[in-house]
Amino acid sequence: MLKLFKYEMRKTLMPKLIMLGLFVVLQGFLLYTISQGKEESTLMIAVLTVFASFLAVFFIGIYSIVTLHHDINSKQGYMLFMTPNSTYKILGAKVLECTVSVLLAGAVFFGICLLDLKLIMNKFPKLSDIQELFEMMKQVANLEINIDMAKALTFVFETVIEWVETVVLAFFADVLATSLLKGKKLGGLLAFLLFIVLSTLAGKLVSLVSGAVPSQTLLLKSIAVLAVCIAGWIATARLMEKKLSV
């Protein structure tokens, strides 16, 4: 599993470096406007930088799904499934790579944006809105918020597994569409429609389970989402073995 994970990380490295390069260019423009004291330009580029951060994290997550689609629809990518590794391990490595990449990218971009806001605040102290935003982000980063720590950890865990659930359902939808159309056109559209249907059904199931005991909503929701992740992972792997001749 570890070797497969490293392989997936290397395979998706170039797009990540490109996104990082574009972000560095934006950072260069932002630092220049700050050093020149250009308040309006600084605010404009700061907003663009934050937007680019969210876009980059989203792109990194989507690219992992695109990679799986390529692997099961091209001879070069399909060779991965001819190695002496089970589909369970291969899919597990792909899900792990996507999750780790998104979490790391989110943490890095959040930290950089936090530093940017501090620089802007120091250079333009009159920008009270920026200062309020910075204080809020600093509190979130330091967990200096007045909530129960156990609930906070549960929320973080729930957020992570919900992203994993999204990836697993997208993988399953893509593999199902490929098995039905055998690589023909409109496979991407069918995969998207199947993903919408699967996500809707999974959401209703999770809501039903989490509402069973109102006092344990977060815990039950996390367990339900985790169960969907495991079921989706097993179903996807078995489908690939049975229908795609892996």
Side-chain angles (χ1 to χ4, degrees):
M1 173 74 85
L2 182 59
K3 289 183 178 179
L4 288 171
F5 170 70
K6 290 180 179 179
Y7 170 76
E8 292 296 332
M9 291 294 286
R10 289 196 301 269
K11 188 164 62 174
T12 59
L13 181 60
M14 184 56 66
K16 297 170 186 175
L17 291 177
I18 293 174
M19 296 300 294
L20 181 60
L22 294 175
F23 190 77
V24 168
V25 171
L26 275 177
Q27 283 296 116
F29 280 116
L30 180 61
L31 293 176
Y32 173 76
T33 56
I34 292 175
S35 65
Q36 296 297 312
K38 299 179 179 180
E39 184 175 310
E40 293 184 1
S41 298
T42 296
L43 288 176
M44 182 181 66
I45 297 179
V47 172
L48 184 60
T49 300
V50 173
F51 176 75
S53 300
F54 284 105
L55 188 63
V57 173
F58 177 77
F59 174 81
I60 289 172
I62 293 298
Y63 188 75
S64 296
I65 300 172
V66 174
T67 300
L68 174 67
H69 182 78
H70 175 268
D71 287 345
I72 61 179
N73 286 282
S74 67
K75 292 182 179 179
Q76 181 181 1
Y78 202 78
M79 292 300 293
L80 172 64
F81 296 96
M82 304 303 293
T83 61
N85 292 289
S86 68
T87 53
Y88 295 95
K89 286 184 178 181
I90 294 173
L91 288 173
K94 288 180 176 294
V95 172
L96 182 61
E97 179 277 324
C98 185
T99 303
V100 171
S101 295
V102 168
L103 289 177
L104 286 178
V108 169
F109 288 136
F110 179 82
I112 293 175
C113 289
L114 197 64
L115 292 175
D116 288 341
L117 288 174
K118 185 174 182 180
L119 288 173
I120 294 172
M121 247 178 35
N122 292 336
K123 185 67 176 182
F124 311 106
K126 294 182 180 180
L127 297 177
S128 58
D129 292 339
I130 292 293
Q131 184 165 354
E132 290 175 4
L133 180 60
F134 171 73
E135 291 298 328
M136 181 182 69
M137 294 182 68
K138 186 175 68 173
Q139 288 177 357
V140 172
N142 294 330
L143 291 178
E144 297 174 356
I145 41 183
N146 193 21
I147 61 174
D148 183 75
M149 183 57 67
K151 291 183 178 180
L153 292 175
T154 302
F155 175 78
V156 171
F157 175 72
E158 178 190 348
T159 302
V160 172
I161 61 174
E162 280 185 347
W163 170 251
V164 174
E165 178 194 33
T166 300
V167 174
V168 169
L169 291 178
F171 282 178
F172 181 65
D174 191 30
V175 172
L176 182 57
T178 300
S179 66
L180 292 174
L181 297 181
K182 302 299 182 182
K184 296 179 181 178
K185 293 181 179 181
L186 300 180
L189 177 60
L190 178 59
F192 176 74
L193 294 176
L194 288 172
F195 172 71
I196 296 298
V197 173
L198 291 171
S199 297
T200 301
L201 293 176
K204 291 183 177 180
L205 177 62
V206 170
S207 297
L208 182 64
V209 173
S210 61
V213 183
S215 61
Q216 298 294 330
T217 300
L218 279 177
L219 179 60
L220 288 176
K221 184 177 181 180
S222 298
I223 294 174
V225 172
L226 186 60
V228 171
C229 292
I230 295 174
W233 170 54
I234 294 174
T236 304
R238 288 189 62 84
L239 182 63
M240 296 186 74
E241 289 179 341
K242 300 293 183 181
K243 300 295 183 180
L244 301 182
S245 301
V246 175

